[in-house]
Amino acid sequence: MRIYIFCNNAVIVHLWTNTSYTGINNMNILLTGATGYLGKKLLPVLINDGHRVTCCVRDASRFVYPDNIEENVSVAEIDFLEPPEEFLPGQRFDAAYYLIHSMGSTIDDFEDLERQTAENFVAIADQLGIKQVIYLGGFDNNEKLSKHLSSRKKVGVVLSKGKFQLTMLKAGIIVGSGSASFEIIRDLVEKLPVMITPKWVLTKTQPIAVRDVIKFLTGVLMHPECMGKTFDIAGPDVLSYKEMLLLFAKVRQLKRRIFTIPVMTPRLSSYWLYFVTSTSYKLAVNLVNSMKVEVLSESDELKHILQIEPLGYEESIALAFERIEQNEVFSSWKDALSSSSSKGDLLNHVKVPEYGCFKDKTQLNFSRPTDEVIANIWSIGGNKGWYYATWLWNIRGLLDKMAGGVGLRRGRTNETKIHAGDSLDFWRVLLADKKKGKLLLFAEMKLPGEAWLEFNVTSDNCLTQTATFRPRGLWGRIYWYMTKPFHLFIFKGMATRIINAKARR
């Protein structure tokens, strides 16, 4: 028997012969990238495992997490691109997760941004006495790496210079509802019965389910066999991107044909992804450059250490669709809510997409009580109308009805109360948290894309109103720019009247 003693008076016993490592709880953990795709999924798992987590974000006012974990979550504002200063003085942390990346924010200089961010993090981690840092990078066992994969490799080198033990995990394509790769594949398969694709779709890759990534990330935490080591993590299937598309279609019971041509350049490929899918152009460029490089797992050592058997690709797709957020999940929320006296916390499930979207944001400060502004928001739609240019909303509803959509005929069931799952004119209520002043609507009108409308009232007397549109191909982008002139006055006028109108209780 070997005993390892760590901080917080926690003792773990690791029997090399008959028992496996089960981990320790009650640790202080620093979580970077807490607002990202993996960070948001990892946070509740760490809390459920009994840890206290400090989430590093650039804007604390925009970071929302579920009420049921708030006692064990702290939020710290920090921009790792800024020179490191004294951070959380007097505090010490056992471990940290480094989940920061800049691939979707820029095309040319993200390598410098990632290096600078990593260097600043190392300085802060050493200051906080962190014993282990867990970093998720990408496969890098090819001599001709893309800028993105090369940058992730260099970040690992920077992190290895810290005083802490670095545990680095390397992964390829991550499969899960809401992930960039999943949504791109979904866009391609569900929208295009026939695809003319560039030759990089023949590149082999090794996808892994997001739930397995989370298992590996939590499994290596303070594990004695994982300290200071690097591991590959991957699913069992080695597939080309073409095979991934066709298997996705198989799971969705769709017939698709794919033809590859050698003449499509990386630039044309990037434009192809940009116009056909909901990804941003910057992300499309970096993805295409990475997809041209074949990088596969070289070892499955970690799955034996942690006793994790990763899911296959088809099973990962099937399970992802069980948890699809937004338009394919909200209808079942309503059924669940109607049969239960407890609404639960929908913040665990609702996430407005960030990449590949157009946004129209209005922020207004007000001097009246916040509950009056919230009451105005909770009265929107139906007979009350939309506060500003309601006649334009009515025209849009009529056009939607003529096109076979729901129109405005549904109205609302109650003049002052809104619950998650309710229909609200041609919107569906995804989240109605009156205590936090947050209302999130999803458009059920006929659109060449998907649309969300979000209202958020903060305790510092500020209303943030955000319209998000994720276009579907070229027509979706044309639609956005055609309606953009109307947005300039409709959304601003609506927000202004919401904060000034007499509240209806």
Side-chain angles (χ1 to χ4, degrees), residues 211-266:
R211 61 189 66 201
D212 289 327
V213 174
I214 298 299
K215 288 180 182 179
F216 282 120
L217 286 171
T218 54
V220 299
L221 181 61
M222 286 299 183
H223 195 298
E225 291 185 69
C226 302
M227 304 290 278
K229 295 183 179 179
T230 298
F231 302 97
D232 290 347
I233 58 173
D237 300 320
V238 177
L239 303 167
S240 69
Y241 290 102
K242 180 178 179 178
E243 290 172 323
M244 290 175 63
L245 290 167
L246 292 174
L247 286 174
F248 192 103
K250 176 185 175 183
V251 173
R252 299 294 290 153
Q253 298 182 344
L254 297 170
K255 292 184 178 180
R256 295 295 183 260
R257 294 180 66 85
I258 300 176
F259 301 94
T260 60
I261 57 176
V263 296
M264 193 173 288
T265 66

Side-chain angles (χ1 to χ4, degrees), residues 315-350:
E315 186 179 3
S316 300
I317 294 294
L319 291 175
F321 270 95
E322 292 180 4
R323 297 178 60 86
I324 288 292
E325 301 168 330
Q326 308 304 345
N327 57 319
E328 289 197 26
V329 175
F330 63 78
S331 59
S332 65
W333 292 346
K334 185 174 183 179
D335 294 338
L337 292 173
S338 63
S339 62
S340 173
S341 59
S342 174
K343 294 190 290 295
D345 194 335
L346 297 181
L347 290 178
N348 286 320
H349 309 286
V350 178

Side-chain angles (χ1 to χ4, degrees), residues 179-216:
S179 72
S181 55
F182 178 89
E183 295 298 339
I184 288 172
I185 292 173
R186 181 185 176 191
D187 278 345
L188 292 172
V189 172
E190 295 189 353
K191 297 171 186 175
L192 300 176
V194 178
M195 289 178 246
I196 308 298
T197 61
K199 62 181 180 180
W200 54 253
V201 298
L202 302 178
T203 303
K204 297 286 186 179
T205 186
Q206 206 162 351
I208 181 172
V210 66
R211 61 189 66 201
D212 289 327
V213 174
I214 298 299
K215 288 180 182 179
F216 282 120

Side-chain angles (χ1 to χ4, degrees), residues 458-472:
T458 55
S459 57
D460 58 350
N461 289 53
C462 179
L463 167 65
T464 301
Q465 175 188 282
T466 308
T468 302
F469 181 67
R470 180 164 65 180
R472 184 182 300 117

Side-chain angles (χ1 to χ4, degrees), residues 204-465:
K204 297 286 186 179
T205 186
Q206 206 162 351
I208 181 172
V210 66
R211 61 189 66 201
D212 289 327
V213 174
I214 298 299
K215 288 180 182 179
F216 282 120
L217 286 171
T218 54
V220 299
L221 181 61
M222 286 299 183
H223 195 298
E225 291 185 69
C226 302
M227 304 290 278
K229 295 183 179 179
T230 298
F231 302 97
D232 290 347
I233 58 173
D237 300 320
V238 177
L239 303 167
S240 69
Y241 290 102
K242 180 178 179 178
E243 290 172 323
M244 290 175 63
L245 290 167
L246 292 174
L247 286 174
F248 192 103
K250 176 185 175 183
V251 173
R252 299 294 290 153
Q253 298 182 344
L254 297 170
K255 292 184 178 180
R256 295 295 183 260
R257 294 180 66 85
I258 300 176
F259 301 94
T260 60
I261 57 176
V263 296
M264 193 173 288
T265 66
R267 180 177 293 274
L268 287 175
S269 298
S270 301
Y271 281 122
W272 178 69
L273 275 186
Y274 172 63
F275 284 115
V276 175
T277 74
S278 55
T279 185
S280 67
Y281 179 68
K282 293 176 182 177
L283 183 58
V285 171
N286 292 322
L287 283 173
V288 168
N289 288 333
S290 294
M291 288 173 174
K292 294 185 302 178
V293 182
E294 185 168 287
V295 280
L296 302 172
S297 172
E298 293 184 312
S299 170
D300 59 358
E301 178 186 4
L302 187 59
K303 82 171 189 178
H304 298 296
I305 294 175
L306 301 183
Q307 299 181 14
I308 295 172
E309 194 61 43
L311 300 172
Y313 177 70
E314 290 187 62
E315 186 179 3
S316 300
I317 294 294
L319 291 175
F321 270 95
E322 292 180 4
R323 297 178 60 86
I324 288 292
E325 301 168 330
Q326 308 304 345
N327 57 319
E328 289 197 26
V329 175
F330 63 78
S331 59
S332 65
W333 292 346
K334 185 174 183 179
D335 294 338
L337 292 173
S338 63
S339 62
S340 173
S341 59
S342 174
K343 294 190 290 295
D345 194 335
L346 297 181
L347 290 178
N348 286 320
H349 309 286
V350 178
K351 185 170 80 72
V352 178
E354 293 293 332
Y355 77 95
C357 295
F358 296 110
K359 290 183 180 290
D360 190 305
K361 178 181 289 188
T362 301
Q363 283 188 309
L364 296 175
N365 294 314
F366 54 88
S367 57
R368 65 191 303 185
T370 58
D371 61 342
E372 293 184 4
V373 175
I374 294 173
N376 283 340
I377 295 172
W378 254 245
S379 301
I380 203 167
N383 294 330
K384 178 73 173 181
W386 292 83
Y387 287 96
Y388 187 84
T390 297
W391 62 276
L392 284 174
W393 291 92
N394 290 333
I395 291 176
R396 182 64 181 87
L398 178 61
L399 293 173
D400 189 62
K401 187 175 181 180
M402 293 172 62
V406 296
L408 295 177
R409 65 182 181 270
R410 299 184 304 182
R412 50 180 297 165
T413 57
N414 189 287
E415 293 185 355
T416 58
K417 296 179 180 179
I418 300 176
H419 300 101
D422 288 352
S423 59
L424 181 57
D425 290 340
F426 43 46
W427 302 89
R428 177 71 62 173
V429 180
L430 294 182
L431 173 64
D433 191 333
K434 200 167 187 178
K435 180 180 178 182
K436 290 186 176 181
K438 187 178 178 68
L439 177 67
L440 179 61
L441 309 176
F442 179 79
E444 291 187 321
M445 66 191 86
K446 294 287 186 178
L447 286 170
E450 298 166 308
W452 293 259
L453 183 60
E454 182 177 4
F455 301 90
N456 190 21
V457 178
T458 55
S459 57
D460 58 350
N461 289 53
C462 179
L463 167 65
T464 301
Q465 175 188 282

